[in-house]
């Protein structure tokens, strides 16, 4: 017999039934959410492995040169109006600063071939240290880059290093001579003659003149090319016991547009030199460093190079070149701070097509800052790490401790979207800066290629080991990963 359920009981059952149905519904939803596939991460086209440590870097990995050609030998870094100049160089962060100096007849001054003389060595070294730089002296001779006498070389070391450091010293890093293959002669440079006492005698006298250990570099050959193989080997065979750092110079491949496609040659040069060092230096080989003592887009300028030196092509070239050198285990020193189109900062004249404006930071300055970080992004880390891409015209370099990624788009007309797959950093935050393209050298005052990088991401979150950034054509993007 059917009996009517009382109202309270009906309400209770109704509530239990509703709860059961709700629980079933929630369970179904949860099950559905669990079973549904997650949104797929975008397909990666750039790969960075922070756990794949390659070549280490150091405080010596990046630098430039203080030119002593400007203003009749009185460079802007120590001139009467040097405040802004020093600040711009300091903004790049601590760098190695090469400086050509000599000691002769009681003077310590510029040993650059075009401006040889003065007595300003102390002012230069103090100025370099004043911007937190590491001075590296390229030792010159009494009348040119290489006619060096042992007495003068030893006196130069004592001038800065006696009494624990004086006249702005101490200075621990020296390069003996400069480009001896450019007219002076390899035999006189190595064995003596033509005004030189020879590499071994010079190195020995310098070490004996200093109470602290010195780092001595050579042979600073003028360029990297097949015909230099024999010069390097002659030097290594005779001078390996006296050499702590192998120094060489390279200035592009001589093509106003094509230079951009040959930056990997710099890394190949480092690799070849390392193989030769292993063969000639024996047990000392692992402790011998390699430095690209001078580099630039080209070693000379005329108006046909205007669209290269004064545009973001130079920013891209500089950032790419440095990446290849560091990845191969070398150091890269740009030439130089004040040298017209080959400089980091304009000198305020219209010589060599410099567009109107004084002390404006040129595209190469920004290519250097992409790695040094300075006043903008993070400095390069302690190790180069695995980084690769198959995207046309796109290059990627990265470091760990701290994590930094440098993306370089060499294309003249195609923007790229970099979807970066990270190994060793699944989630966190990143900041990004873009060195925007600019291809009109006449647009100097407001042109993008002359401006600081624009921050495009500020502590943005990322997950699933993916970061996606736009890399416009002829531009550089820098990412700091936390």
């Amino acid at each position: 017999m059917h009996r009517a359920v009382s109202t309270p009981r009906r309400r209770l059952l109704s509530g239990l039934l509703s709860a059961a149905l709700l629980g079933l519904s929630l369970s179904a939803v949860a099950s559905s959410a669990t079973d549904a596939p997650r949104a797929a991460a975008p397909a990666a086209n750039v790969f960075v492995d922070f756990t794949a440590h390659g070549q280490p870097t150091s405080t010596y990995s990046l630098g430039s040169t203080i030119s002593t050609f400007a203003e009749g030998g009185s460079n802007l870094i120590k001139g009467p109006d040097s405040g802004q100049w020093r600040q711009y160089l300091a903004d790049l962060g601590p760098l190695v600063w090469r400086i050509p100096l000599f000691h002769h007849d009681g003077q310590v001054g510029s040993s650059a071939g075009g401006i040889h003389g003065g007595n300003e060595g102390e002012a230069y070294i103090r100025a370099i240290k004043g911007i937190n730089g590491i001075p590296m002296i390229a030792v010159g001779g009494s009348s040119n880059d290489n006619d060096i006498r042992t007495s003068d070389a030893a006196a130069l070391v004592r001038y800065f290093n006696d009494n624990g450091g004086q006249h702005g010293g101490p200075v621990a890093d020296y390069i003996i001579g400069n480009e001896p293959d450019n007219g002076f002669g390899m035999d006189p440079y190595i064995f003596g003659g033509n005004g030189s006492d020879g590499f071994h005698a010079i190195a020995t006298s310098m070490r004996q003149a200093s109470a602290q250990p010195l780092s001595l570099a050579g042979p600073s050959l003028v360029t990297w090319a097949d015909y230099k193989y024999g010069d390097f080997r002659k030097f290594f065979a005779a001078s390996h016991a006296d050499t702590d750092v192998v120094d060489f110079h390279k200035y592009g491949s001589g093509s106003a547009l094509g230079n951009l496609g040959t930056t990997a040659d710099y890394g190949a040069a480092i690799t070849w030199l390392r193989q030769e060092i292993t063969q000639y230096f024996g047990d000392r080989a692992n402790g011998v460093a390699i430095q690209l003592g001078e580099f630039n887009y080209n070693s000379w300028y005329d108006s046909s190079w205007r669209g290269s030196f004064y545009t973001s092509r130079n920013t891209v070239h500089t950032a790419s070149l440095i990446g290849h050198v560091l990845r191969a285990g070398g150091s890269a020193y740009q030439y130089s701070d004040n040298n017209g189109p080959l400089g980091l900062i304009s000198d305020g004249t219209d010589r060599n097509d410099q567009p109107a404006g004084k002390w404006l930071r040129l595209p190469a300055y920004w290519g250097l800052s992409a790695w040094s970080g300075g006043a903008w992004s993070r400095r390069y880390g302690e190790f180069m790490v695995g980084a690769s891409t198959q995207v046309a015209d796109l290059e990627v370099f990265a470091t760990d401790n701290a994590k930094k990624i440098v993306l370089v788009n060499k294309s003249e007309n195609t923007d790229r979207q970099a979807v970066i797959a990270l190994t060793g950093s699944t989630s966190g935050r990143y900041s990004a800066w873009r060195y925007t393209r600019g291809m009109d050298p006449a647009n100097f005052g407001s042109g993008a290629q002359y401006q600081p990088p624009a921050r495009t991401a500020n502590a943005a979150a990322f997950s699933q080991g993916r970061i996606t950034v736009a890399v416009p054509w002829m531009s550089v993007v820098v990412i700091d990963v936390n």
Side-chain angles (χ1 to χ4, degrees):
M1 176 178 161
H2 179 70
R3 298 181 65 179
V5 179
S6 66
T7 299
R9 174 74 172 169
R10 185 187 302 120
R11 287 177 178 170
L12 177 61
L13 290 175
S14 175
L16 291 173
L17 180 61
S18 296
L21 291 173
L22 178 60
L24 180 63
S25 175
L26 290 174
S27 176
V29 170
S31 176
S32 173
T34 301
D35 294 341
R38 292 184 177 181
N45 56 15
V46 176
F47 303 89
V48 172
D49 186 350
F50 289 119
T51 69
H53 286 187
Q55 294 289 343
T57 64
S58 76
T59 55
Y60 286 85
S61 291
L62 202 59
S64 183
T65 299
I66 299 298
S67 167
T68 58
F69 286 104
E71 295 186 342
S74 181
N75 185 276
L76 292 170
I77 194 174
K78 61 179 184 56
D81 301 317
S82 64
Q84 185 178 9
W85 191 271
R86 291 192 190 194
Q87 185 61 58
Y88 280 168
L89 297 184
D91 283 345
L92 290 169
L95 300 175
V96 172
W97 290 98
R98 296 171 64 257
I99 175 78
L101 298 177
F102 79 118
H103 187 289
H104 188 63
D105 287 342
Q107 293 191 97
V108 177
S110 168
S111 65
I115 301 294
H116 197 98
N119 194 25
E120 302 167 327
E122 178 176 348
Y124 278 122
I125 298 303
R126 290 192 183 278
I128 290 170
K129 290 191 175 184
I131 59 171
N132 297 316
I134 299 173
M136 179 179 288
I137 296 177
V139 181
S142 59
S143 63
N144 62 60
D145 289 345
N146 297 293
D147 60 342
I148 306 168
R149 296 299 188 187
T150 56
S151 57
D152 287 335
L156 182 66
V157 172
R158 288 195 298 270
Y159 180 83
F160 290 113
N161 290 9
D162 278 1
N163 303 313
Q166 57 188 9
H167 303 299
V171 177
D173 302 287
Y174 298 83
I175 308 165
I176 297 176
N178 181 65
E179 300 182 353
D181 53 325
N182 188 18
F184 185 78
M186 288 302 295
D187 281 352
Y189 175 75
I190 297 170
F191 304 110
N194 201 15
S196 170
D197 285 335
F199 194 90
H200 173 70
I202 295 166
T204 300
S205 70
M206 292 177 68
R207 294 192 200 277
Q208 291 174 345
S210 179
Q212 71 176 97
L214 303 181
S215 173
L216 303 183
S220 303
L221 302 191
V222 67
T223 190
W224 176 263
D226 290 354
Y227 59 85
K228 301 298 179 181
Y229 288 178
D231 288 342
F232 277 113
R233 286 169 175 156
K234 177 182 288 189
F235 175 80
F236 293 160
S239 305
H240 59 84
D242 299 307
T243 306
D244 303 304
V245 182
V246 172
D247 181 286
F248 74 104
H249 300 176
K250 177 173 169 53
Y251 286 82
S253 60
S255 172
L257 302 182
N259 278 3
L260 206 59
T262 61
T263 53
D265 291 352
Y266 289 85
I270 301 288
T271 299
W272 184 86
L273 286 168
R274 178 55 62 193
Q275 293 170 348
E276 297 296 308
I277 290 169
T278 299
Q279 177 178 345
Y280 282 94
F281 284 67
D283 293 341
R284 297 187 59 239
N286 288 339
V288 175
I290 304 173
Q291 66 188 35
L292 172 58
E294 293 184 13
F295 77 81
N296 212 303
Y297 198 94
N298 194 42
S299 61
W300 50 270
Y301 177 84
D302 65 29
S303 59
S304 66
W305 293 83
R306 189 167 180 257
S308 299
F309 278 99
Y310 294 120
T311 70
S312 59
R313 186 185 301 277
N314 203 354
T315 303
V316 167
H317 182 270
T318 302
S320 171
L321 181 162
I322 292 171
H324 285 288
V325 170
L326 298 190
R327 186 156 64 188
S331 299
Y333 303 153
Q334 183 267 357
Y335 190 91
S336 59
D337 69 324
N338 187 26
N339 197 19
L342 277 72
L344 293 174
I345 306 171
S346 70
D347 62 12
T349 74
D350 60 0
R351 293 191 294 267
N352 295 306
D353 296 326
Q354 292 183 87
K358 186 176 184 180
W359 300 358
L360 295 175
R361 293 162 289 187
L362 298 172
Y365 178 101
W366 298 116
L368 187 60
S369 78
W371 283 98
S372 68
W376 299 277
S377 62
R378 170 179 293 161
R379 185 178 176 86
Y380 59 87
E382 185 180 356
F383 296 95
M384 298 298 292
V385 300
S388 64
T389 180
Q390 296 298 315
V391 179
D393 297 318
L394 188 67
E395 292 182 336
V396 57
F397 308 94
T399 68
D400 190 31
N401 294 345
K403 292 178 172 59
K404 179 185 181 83
I405 301 170
V406 179
L407 294 158
V408 180
N409 187 351
K410 293 182 173 181
S411 174
E412 297 188 20
N413 50 34
T414 305
D415 297 338
R416 297 298 183 189
Q417 189 85 345
V419 181
I420 309 169
L422 304 177
T423 299
S425 188
T426 304
S427 62
R429 295 189 176 275
Y430 73 95
S431 296
W433 292 260
R434 179 185 300 162
Y435 293 83
T436 308
R437 65 176 177 261
M439 300 302 287
D440 182 2
N443 191 16
F444 194 76
S446 60
Q449 69 267 35
Y450 304 106
Q451 303 301 317
R455 187 190 288 263
T456 58
N458 187 12
F462 71 94
S463 61
Q464 301 182 55
R466 291 288 191 275
I467 293 176
T468 300
V469 295
V471 191
W473 56 265
M474 207 58 72
S475 72
V476 177
V477 170
V478 173
I479 304 171
D480 294 347
V481 181
N482 297 307

